[in-house]
Amino acid sequence: MSAHENLIKVTDAEERIVHWLLAGSCLFCLITGLGFMFHSWSFIATLFGGYYAMKWMHIFSGIVFMASLVYSYFMWKKDCEFEPSDLQWVLKGGGYLWEVKDLPPVYKYNAGQKAFFWILVACGAVIVISGLIMWNPVFYPVIAARFAYMLHAGAVVVLGSFIVVHIYLGTAGNPGTVTAMFTGQVTRAWCETHCPRWLAERDNYKPGQEKETA
Amino acid sequence: MAEYIKLVDVTKCTGCRGCQVACKQWNELPAEKTGFTGSLQNPKDLSYNTWCLIRFDEVEKKDKLNWLMRHDACMHCETPACVKACPSPGALFKTPEGAVVHDTNYCIGCKSCIVACPFDIPRNNPAIEKMAKCSLCYDRITDGKKPACVTACPTGCLSFGSKDAMLMAAEKRAEQIKGFIYPNNPKYETHLMYIMPGTVEITDFSHTNPNPKMPATILWWKNLFKPLTLIGIGGVAGAAFLHYIIKGPHRVHEKKEEGGE
């Protein structure tokens, strides 16, 4: 059938692997972190074999998070550079939460996705650096260690909230999107809606010049 | 349950270190191999094996030498920052007697208590990566006995009793010797209190905190960001759900070749 022709590859395997390493380690750290934060949720620690075991799982998962965060920064920073039309997109409301006409055509990622990326990088960096300090806090000046604990929790407030937005908009909020992170493919109609400029460039692509970026 | 206070009358201390030895004996802590450091200070600092310590300071005031000896140990705060920071339930807790007690079985070695403490008391045992500190001899005081250090003190420098009695005794003694009580902050109560000689100031004593309080970073962490984590995640999740049921998902724009389904 024509369904297969209409599928367009928007992410490569490298992106999907890094995304899920980042997402998996992040969510695991979030859940175990909540287990440390809320003593009434001790069932989380019970699930992971007690607080001592959970401490090391949190640290190891944090290392995976750190590595995949650094990797994804270099992998996606170019895609997520802001451009002038992003401002127009934001001023018009983006079309995510309600229907908007005459949106400036988006290239690969829209301004909201780009903003999420930079929030992730900023909060992730704070969480990783403070987390490394918390690994052995007595090695550092006491004021630095105390700030690390505070900033670790503060950055989680921001990142945790935005992750929920990210999950909603990537799944139920935008039907047809989630396959981009599983099979890597979305429909042509999806591309026309969400990344029309990128799709147009892809359609005009002349084979034999450069390697395909899609 | 009665609330207790351990009172340290610094003016009565002779530096005999009987409290140090008694603490080691009762808590079965091994002696430390130490060397001469140029002063009477020995061991140099608190450690996971040394829960109380006489600190020696020599301070010159008005051409007069003050030879200070201070029994240093956990202050057993009314609102302990270490307990607030501790992520492992049961590892650090405050008892109705006022003691702040650690339980090695539940300690996961994260060391956040060491960072949080405004008096720099908890110490890490690197061999087992667990913290240790004075427990106000919780096992003795709940059995009607005094802490080991108090029992051993030969000069009456250390005394132990109910909170009210000790507070009264402290005020009376401080007035008598024209000294001062430390910590002297009604907003920051501790279950270890000092009567200091009036000839010196609190800053003349090493390893003291002139203005003890719960570190602000701990308050931001536990009183603001902790609830905000749930409010943030829960609020956004609720908003997303409302959006889904009110506005509905954002579907791809209808186009001629929209196939399938």
Side-chain angles (χ1 to χ4, degrees):
Chain A
M1 296 292 283
S2 65
H4 278 293
E5 295 162 30
N6 280 335
L7 288 179
I8 287 166
K9 191 175 159 225
V10 283
T11 59
D12 56 27
E14 183 190 9
E15 286 177 298
R16 297 198 294 281
I17 290 168
V18 173
H19 171 264
W20 286 115
L21 280 174
L22 189 65
S25 59
C26 182
L27 286 177
F28 186 82
C29 278
L30 181 65
I31 291 165
T32 49
L34 289 174
F36 288 123
M37 193 173 245
F38 296 95
H39 288 182
S40 50
W41 292 1
S42 58
F43 71 89
I44 297 174
T46 309
L47 189 67
F48 294 118
Y51 282 89
Y52 182 76
M54 192 162 79
K55 174 185 111 166
W56 283 107
M57 291 179 188
H58 190 83
I59 290 173
F60 285 130
S61 183
I63 292 169
V64 176
F65 179 76
M66 172 174 72
S68 45
L69 183 75
V70 170
Y71 198 101
S72 47
Y73 168 73
F74 289 107
M75 188 169 64
W76 281 320
K77 67 172 179 176
K78 204 159 179 296
D79 284 339
C80 292
E81 275 171 15
F82 285 107
E83 51 183 322
S85 66
D86 286 328
L87 186 62
Q88 292 300 114
W89 188 92
V90 173
L91 291 175
K92 290 200 178 231
Y96 261 87
L97 301 177
W98 52 86
E99 280 298 319
V100 175
K101 293 240 157 47
D102 307 323
L103 269 179
V106 169
Y107 189 65
K108 187 78 185 272
Y109 296 111
N110 64 48
Q113 289 169 297
K114 290 175 184 175
F116 174 71
F117 174 78
W118 293 112
I119 287 165
L120 167 75
V121 167
C123 291
V126 171
I127 288 168
V128 164
I129 291 165
S130 59
L132 288 173
I133 293 173
M134 289 158 74
W135 193 347
N136 190 12
V138 290
F139 185 74
Y140 304 89
V142 69
I143 190 68
R146 283 181 186 167
F147 265 96
Y149 283 93
M150 183 188 78
L151 293 174
H152 201 73
V156 167
V157 173
V158 180
L159 187 56
S161 303
F162 274 97
I163 281 170
V164 178
V165 177
H166 175 70
I167 293 172
Y168 172 66
L169 291 179
T171 57
N174 287 282
T177 303
V178 78
T179 54
M181 277 302 154
F182 286 106
T183 61
Q185 292 173 320
V186 292
T187 63
R188 176 166 286 274
W190 187 94
C191 282
E192 277 164 359
T193 305
H194 291 289
C195 46
R197 249 170 65 216
W198 176 82
L199 181 67
E201 195 177 293
R202 180 186 177 280
D203 287 345
N204 293 333
Y205 166 75
K206 292 181 178 62
Q209 288 176 337
E210 277 176 71
K211 75 181 178 89
E212 195 169 351
T213 51
Chain B
M1 276 292 158
E3 210 178 319
Y4 298 106
I5 280 181
K6 180 167 94 179
L7 194 59
V8 184
D9 186 346
V10 168
T11 61
K12 288 185 185 169
C13 181
T14 62
C16 77
R17 289 182 268 222
C19 51
Q20 274 178 226
V21 175
C23 176
K24 294 248 182 199
Q25 190 199 22
W26 178 258
N27 294 300
E28 297 178 327
L29 304 170
E32 286 184 56
K33 249 191 178 165
T34 59
F36 184 57
T37 58
S39 80
L40 275 174
Q41 189 61 58
N42 191 7
K44 239 181 147 177
D45 195 11
L46 293 168
S47 82
Y48 63 95
N49 277 335
T50 304
W51 295 355
C52 81
L53 178 74
I54 299 294
R55 292 192 186 270
F56 293 86
D57 293 297
E58 291 169 31
V59 182
E60 239 179 286
K61 291 258 160 165
K62 294 172 194 158
D63 293 334
K64 194 174 164 261
L65 182 74
N66 289 274
W67 197 16
L68 305 173
M69 298 146 198
R70 182 175 73 92
H71 167 91
D72 192 14
C74 175
M75 300 293 285
H76 298 280
C77 305
E78 178 66 23
T79 48
C82 57
V83 174
K84 207 174 176 71
C86 180
S88 182
L92 260 178
F93 53 94
K94 191 175 158 274
T95 74
E97 291 80 9
V100 177
V101 184
H102 67 284
D103 185 340
T104 306
N105 291 318
Y106 294 104
C107 178
I108 61 171
C110 76
K111 309 185 190 82
S112 55
C113 54
I114 300 174
V115 169
C117 177
F119 298 100
D120 182 33
I121 295 296
R123 292 291 187 270
N124 179 51
N125 180 349
I128 56 172
E129 282 291 312
K130 284 169 191 281
M131 70 80 80
K133 67 165 192 67
C134 159
S135 65
L136 203 62
C137 280
Y138 181 61
D139 46 353
R140 291 174 61 90
I141 64 174
T142 48
D143 197 27
K145 296 188 178 76
K146 290 176 178 181
C149 56
V150 178
T151 310
C153 182
T155 65
C157 163
L158 298 179
S159 54
F160 183 79
S162 75
K163 185 179 170 181
D164 295 338
M166 288 293 113
L167 283 176
M168 265 168 59
E171 268 173 46
K172 205 173 146 196
R173 174 69 180 163
E175 205 175 315
Q176 189 188 355
I177 62 163
K178 295 190 174 56
F180 63 96
I181 297 171
Y182 166 79
N184 191 10
N185 180 0
K187 281 189 195 156
Y188 199 88
E189 290 180 35
T190 56
H191 294 85
L192 172 62
M193 295 184 90
Y194 293 91
I195 301 156
M196 302 297 203
T199 49
V200 289
E201 287 156 47
I202 190 61
T203 46
D204 294 325
F205 292 91
S206 58
H207 203 252
T208 52
N209 184 345
N211 183 25
K213 54 176 190 286
M214 174 83 73
T217 52
I218 307 283
L219 290 174
W220 278 72
W221 169 23
K222 293 291 182 178
N223 290 6
L224 182 69
F225 293 142
K226 183 179 167 181
L228 270 184
T229 308
L230 284 194
I231 294 168
I233 293 175
V236 171
F241 180 73
L242 282 178
H243 177 261
Y244 190 79
I245 60 169
I246 295 169
K247 298 293 285 186
H250 177 78
R251 297 191 186 279
V252 294
H253 300 159
E254 299 295 327
K255 280 271 165 86
K256 62 274 170 189
E257 52 181 34
E258 171 88 276
E261 289 202 312

